[in-house]
Structures are given as structure tokens and as C-alpha cells.
Amino acid sequence: KTGTAYVIEYRTSVGAPWQFLDTTTHVRFGFQWQVGDYIGIRVTARRGNVSSTPSVPSVLWEAGGDNVVMLQAA
């Protein structure tokens, strides 16, 4: 919806703290990561002073070089 910002966070291992990656108002977001390296991604929606709970993390641990992954907010 208009006026919603999506805060994207990542972590590099299961026990690592979440780190800020970016904020976007779009429902699509692209980034590059080293294939084969663990990365967890979660998204929080913010509108004004209200934030959602973070999404269930998506974990990528790809083994091939030609994989493309897209996360899209519904």
C-alpha cells in the first residue's frame, strides 16, 4: 500500500544478529550475495509509527551459480 516502507534485514548465520540491509517502498527488491554462503532475510513493514512483526525468515543456502531468488510482498 502507498505509504508503507519495507525494512529488509539479513544475517549471515543462524545465531548471528540481524543487520540492516535496506529500506524500500517497492514490493520488489534486488541484491547480490555470494552463492553458497548462508544468508537469512526478513522484512518488516512500517507505516508511520507502526511496524509489523518481522516476516518469517527466508534462508538461502544455494549451491549453484545460476539461481535467482525474488521476495515479493503480498
Side-chain angles (χ1 to χ4, degrees):
K1 286 191 145 201
T2 303
T4 303
Y6 301 97
V7 179
I8 303 154
E9 298 174 294
Y10 75 100
R11 64 182 177 185
T12 56
S13 70
V14 174
W18 290 101
Q19 299 178 59
F20 174 80
L21 180 62
D22 206 348
T23 300
T24 184
T25 56
H26 301 281
V27 294
R28 292 179 187 228
F29 176 79
F31 69 98
Q32 293 183 348
W33 198 257
Q34 179 65 39
V35 174
D37 288 352
Y38 178 99
I39 184 171
I41 300 282
R42 72 181 186 179
V43 179
T44 302
R46 286 190 185 158
R47 179 182 280 173
N49 293 328
V50 179
S51 294
S52 70
T53 57
S55 66
V56 174
S58 295
V59 176
L60 310 178
W61 207 341
E62 299 297 331
D66 294 328
N67 294 311
V68 175
V69 177
M70 297 183 87
L71 299 175
Q72 182 172 333

